[in-house]
Amino acid sequence: MQLVRQNEEYAVRRKNQTRAVVAALTVAAITSGCVAEGGSGVAPAHGQQPLQAPPARALDSYARQLAAAQAARVTAAKRWGLAKTPLTAPPPPAKKPRLTTRKGFEVKGQAKLPPVFTTIPTKKKVVFLTIDDGAEKDRALLRMMSDLKLPYTAFLSDYLVKEDYGYFKKMQDRGVTLNNHTLNHPYLPKLSYERQRREICGMQNVIEKRYGKRPELFRPPYGNYNRDTLRAAKSCGIKAVPLWNAEAFADRMAYREWDRDLHPGDIILTHFRGREDWRGTMPDMVRRVMKTVTDKGYAVARLEDYL
């Protein structure tokens, strides 16, 4: 009960502080708008004069920036054929959530190994888009995601990426984090510890050499791993192993959970694929994902902001 009372008192104080700030800004705005240049005391018509007092100008500028960003987002959504404008993700959490391995996904000695998870612990209605391997190198995807300002994370395999390292450099330049999906995409549990380590550490070296940064995230091919996989990953500098809770295709969505639905913090998997493998293109896949996500009231957030 003491905690409840403290929370109620805090909420009241916050509400009063908010009212005080709003009142101060309102007074500043009224003061700046009521005295015309030269002291005539005649205010211009509503909406014809920018706010002049410093706090009011800051508020006015911020509102204009938000309106411009939203207008650009609406225009981009129409241009790329989205059914609805994507929702804007909330600010990243000030305190990162504590990551733990999903129940049933543990290996022996898991506490000392990188956590394996399919969902980020959060109550916010956000999901995270991740794209695997690197087979399809669709320039339209780069333009679409930049125009829509949709964040995503890539997990790359060198046997596919090496066909065009430059494509993924352009992706990185747009703010996408490039992570590890092994050199050759093998079924890791069949390999010895040393061979698994060569696959994982080898890809760490490729990404560091080509893109300047050693990844901290690793996704095993097919989502399959054993204790040696996580041991090897840790020895290569991997901090976490994000799997997925939903998978996106150009024409459908698939789900891990029995309710066949999205949940706060879910990680969505898709692949670099085109018409040769899918009934559509990568932009078609994005349209499918965003229709599902937006219809359900979710926004796409940046995975790294929660790790």
Side-chain angles (χ1 to χ4, degrees):
M1 293 301 295
Q2 180 63 29
L3 177 60
V4 172
R5 285 196 296 271
Q6 290 175 351
N7 288 340
E8 289 174 348
E9 292 170 0
Y10 176 76
V12 170
R13 290 198 302 271
R14 291 288 296 171
K15 188 174 183 180
N16 290 339
Q17 290 170 358
T18 301
R19 287 175 174 171
V21 171
V22 172
L25 291 175
T26 302
V27 170
I30 292 172
T31 302
S32 64
C34 287
V35 181
E37 189 173 357
S40 67
V42 179
H46 177 70
Q48 291 183 354
Q49 177 179 323
L51 302 177
Q52 299 299 322
R57 284 202 306 272
L59 183 63
D60 186 47
S61 175
Y62 179 64
R64 290 172 185 269
Q65 290 174 14
L66 288 180
Q70 180 61 16
R73 202 171 175 88
V74 170
T75 300
K78 291 179 179 178
R79 180 165 60 249
W80 288 102
L82 270 63
K84 295 179 181 178
T85 303
L87 299 175
T88 302
K95 183 179 180 181
K96 309 294 185 185
R98 179 174 174 268
L99 300 175
T100 58
T101 294
R102 175 172 172 156
K103 186 176 181 180
F105 286 55
E106 308 94 337
V107 299
K108 185 178 179 180
Q110 182 67 63
K112 295 182 179 180
L113 296 172
V116 182
F117 48 90
T118 62
T119 299
I120 301 294
T122 180
K123 293 182 179 179
K124 297 179 180 179
K125 290 198 74 172
V126 295
V127 293
F128 307 94
L129 181 61
T130 62
I131 312 181
D132 278 13
D133 62 44
E136 183 75 9
K137 300 162 186 69
D138 190 337
R139 265 61 183 174
L141 176 74
L142 299 181
R143 298 192 300 271
M144 182 180 195
M145 301 303 270
S146 294
D147 284 353
L148 294 169
K149 294 185 170 29
L150 290 175
Y152 60 106
T153 298
F155 290 86
L156 305 179
S157 290
D158 190 52
Y159 82 107
L160 295 170
V161 173
K162 66 183 180 183
E163 298 170 356
D164 188 353
Y165 287 122
Y167 175 81
F168 298 96
K169 182 64 174 72
K170 292 176 182 177
M171 188 174 288
Q172 183 188 44
D173 291 343
R174 287 164 165 80
V176 177
T177 302
L178 308 180
N179 289 301
N180 191 327
H181 199 45
T182 71
L183 287 170
N184 299 295
H185 207 272
Y187 179 75
L188 291 174
K190 282 190 174 182
L191 304 183
S192 67
Y193 170 80
E194 288 301 330
R195 289 183 64 190
Q196 291 196 53
R197 194 172 185 279
R198 283 198 293 272
E199 282 287 338
I200 300 169
C201 288
M203 193 60 197
Q204 293 286 87
N205 295 337
V206 168
I207 293 178
E208 183 176 31
K209 177 182 177 181
R210 293 287 177 176
Y211 305 111
K213 186 175 181 181
R214 206 166 178 82
E216 294 186 351
L217 303 182
F218 165 68
R219 176 174 286 162
Y222 316 107
N224 294 124
Y225 61 95
N226 58 17
R227 184 170 183 268
D228 282 346
T229 309
L230 301 186
R231 287 177 56 229
K234 181 179 179 180
S235 76
C236 300
I238 295 299
K239 305 296 184 185
V241 181
L243 297 184
W244 61 91
N245 222 29
E247 185 170 359
F249 301 87
D251 60 340
R252 61 189 173 90
M253 295 284 295
Y255 302 93
R256 186 186 295 272
E257 306 299 344
W258 65 270
D259 61 358
R260 297 180 55 79
D261 202 358
L262 292 176
H263 312 86
D266 274 357
I267 298 171
I268 300 174
L269 161 71
T270 191
H271 291 83
F272 290 96
R273 295 287 186 272
R275 292 191 183 279
E276 292 183 2
D277 302 287
W278 279 349
R279 295 176 181 175
T281 64
M282 295 207 72
D284 290 331
M285 176 275 297
V286 174
R287 282 186 278 270
R288 168 66 59 179
V289 169
M290 294 315 303
K291 175 169 176 49
T292 302
V293 167
T294 307
D295 282 351
K296 293 178 181 292
Y298 286 85
V300 176
R302 184 173 179 268
L303 179 62
E304 291 76 13
D305 287 342
Y306 286 73
L307 302 179

Coordinates of all heavy atoms in Angstrom, one line a residue, residues 134 137 157-166 168 183-184 203 206 210-211:
G134 N 21.4 -12.7 -47.3 CA 22.0 -11.8 -48.2 C 21.9 -12.3 -49.7 O 22.6 -11.7 -50.5
K137 N 19.7 -8.9 -53.6 CA 20.3 -7.6 -53.3 C 19.4 -6.6 -54.1 O 19.8 -6.1 -55.1 CB 21.7 -7.6 -53.7 CG 22.5 -8.6 -52.9 CD 23.9 -9.0 -53.6 CE 24.6 -10.1 -52.8 NZ 23.9 -11.4 -53.0
S157 N 25.5 -13.9 -44.3 CA 26.4 -15.1 -44.5 C 27.3 -14.7 -45.7 O 26.8 -14.3 -46.7 CB 25.5 -16.3 -44.9 OG 24.8 -16.8 -43.7
D158 N 28.6 -15.0 -45.5 CA 29.6 -14.5 -46.5 C 29.4 -15.1 -47.8 O 29.7 -14.5 -48.9 CB 31.0 -14.7 -45.9 CG 32.0 -14.0 -46.8 OD1 31.9 -12.8 -47.0 OD2 33.0 -14.7 -47.2
Y159 N 29.0 -16.4 -47.9 CA 28.9 -17.1 -49.2 C 27.9 -16.4 -50.2 O 28.0 -16.5 -51.4 CB 28.6 -18.5 -49.1 CG 27.1 -18.9 -48.9 CD1 26.4 -19.5 -49.9 CD2 26.5 -18.6 -47.7 CE1 25.1 -19.8 -49.8 CE2 25.1 -19.0 -47.5 CZ 24.4 -19.6 -48.6 OH 23.1 -19.9 -48.4
L160 N 27.0 -15.6 -49.6 CA 26.1 -14.8 -50.4 C 26.5 -13.3 -50.5 O 26.3 -12.7 -51.5 CB 24.7 -15.0 -49.8 CG 24.1 -16.4 -49.8 CD1 22.8 -16.4 -49.0 CD2 23.8 -16.8 -51.3
V161 N 26.9 -12.8 -49.4 CA 27.3 -11.4 -49.3 C 28.4 -11.0 -50.2 O 28.5 -10.0 -50.8 CB 27.6 -11.0 -47.8 CG1 28.1 -9.6 -47.7 CG2 26.4 -11.2 -47.0
K162 N 29.4 -12.0 -50.4 CA 30.6 -11.7 -51.1 C 30.4 -11.4 -52.6 O 31.2 -10.8 -53.3 CB 31.6 -12.8 -51.0 CG 31.2 -14.1 -51.6 CD 32.3 -15.2 -51.3 CE 31.9 -16.5 -51.9 NZ 32.9 -17.6 -51.5
E163 N 29.2 -11.7 -53.1 CA 28.8 -11.4 -54.5 C 28.7 -9.9 -54.7 O 28.9 -9.4 -55.8 CB 27.5 -12.0 -54.8 CG 27.5 -13.6 -54.8 CD 26.1 -14.1 -54.9 OE1 25.1 -13.3 -54.9 OE2 25.9 -15.4 -54.9
D164 N 28.5 -9.2 -53.6 CA 28.3 -7.7 -53.7 C 28.4 -7.1 -52.3 O 27.4 -6.7 -51.7 CB 27.0 -7.3 -54.3 CG 26.9 -5.9 -54.7 OD1 27.8 -5.1 -54.3 OD2 25.9 -5.5 -55.3
Y165 N 29.7 -7.0 -51.8 CA 29.9 -6.4 -50.5 C 29.4 -4.9 -50.5 O 28.9 -4.4 -49.5 CB 31.3 -6.4 -50.1 CG 31.9 -7.7 -49.7 CD1 33.0 -8.3 -50.4 CD2 31.3 -8.5 -48.7 CE1 33.5 -9.6 -50.1 CE2 31.9 -9.7 -48.3 CZ 32.9 -10.2 -49.0 OH 33.4 -11.5 -48.6
G166 N 29.4 -4.3 -51.6 CA 29.1 -2.9 -51.7 C 27.6 -2.6 -51.4 O 27.2 -1.6 -50.8
F168 N 25.7 -4.1 -49.2 CA 25.5 -4.1 -47.8 C 26.2 -2.9 -47.1 O 25.9 -2.5 -46.0 CB 25.9 -5.4 -47.2 CG 25.1 -6.6 -47.7 CD1 25.5 -7.3 -48.8 CD2 23.8 -6.8 -47.2 CE1 24.8 -8.3 -49.4 CE2 23.0 -7.8 -47.8 CZ 23.5 -8.6 -48.9
L183 N 29.7 -18.0 -42.0 CA 30.3 -17.9 -43.3 C 29.5 -18.6 -44.4 O 29.2 -18.0 -45.5 CB 31.7 -18.5 -43.3 CG 32.8 -17.8 -42.6 CD1 34.0 -18.6 -42.5 CD2 33.1 -16.4 -43.3
N184 N 29.1 -19.9 -44.2 CA 28.5 -20.7 -45.2 C 27.1 -21.3 -44.9 O 26.6 -22.1 -45.6 CB 29.5 -21.9 -45.5 CG 30.8 -21.4 -46.0 OD1 30.9 -20.8 -47.1 ND2 31.8 -21.6 -45.2
M203 N 33.1 -15.3 -39.9 CA 32.2 -14.2 -40.3 C 32.4 -12.9 -39.5 O 32.3 -11.8 -40.1 CB 30.8 -14.7 -40.2 CG 29.8 -13.8 -40.9 SD 30.1 -13.7 -42.7 CE 29.2 -12.3 -43.2
V206 N 35.2 -11.2 -41.4 CA 34.7 -10.7 -42.6 C 34.0 -9.4 -42.4 O 34.3 -8.3 -43.1 CB 33.8 -11.7 -43.4 CG1 33.2 -11.0 -44.6 CG2 34.6 -12.9 -43.9
R210 N 35.3 -5.8 -43.8 CA 34.6 -5.1 -44.8 C 33.8 -3.9 -44.3 O 33.6 -2.9 -45.1 CB 33.6 -6.1 -45.5 CG 34.3 -7.2 -46.2 CD 34.9 -6.7 -47.5 NE 35.6 -7.8 -48.2 CZ 36.1 -7.6 -49.5 NH1 36.0 -6.4 -50.1 NH2 36.8 -8.6 -50.0
Y211 N 33.3 -3.9 -43.1 CA 32.4 -2.9 -42.6 C 32.9 -2.2 -41.3 O 32.2 -1.3 -40.8 CB 31.0 -3.5 -42.4 CG 30.5 -4.2 -43.7 CD1 30.4 -5.6 -43.7 CD2 30.2 -3.5 -44.8 CE1 30.0 -6.2 -44.9 CE2 29.8 -4.1 -46.0 CZ 29.7 -5.4 -46.0 OH 29.3 -6.1 -47.2

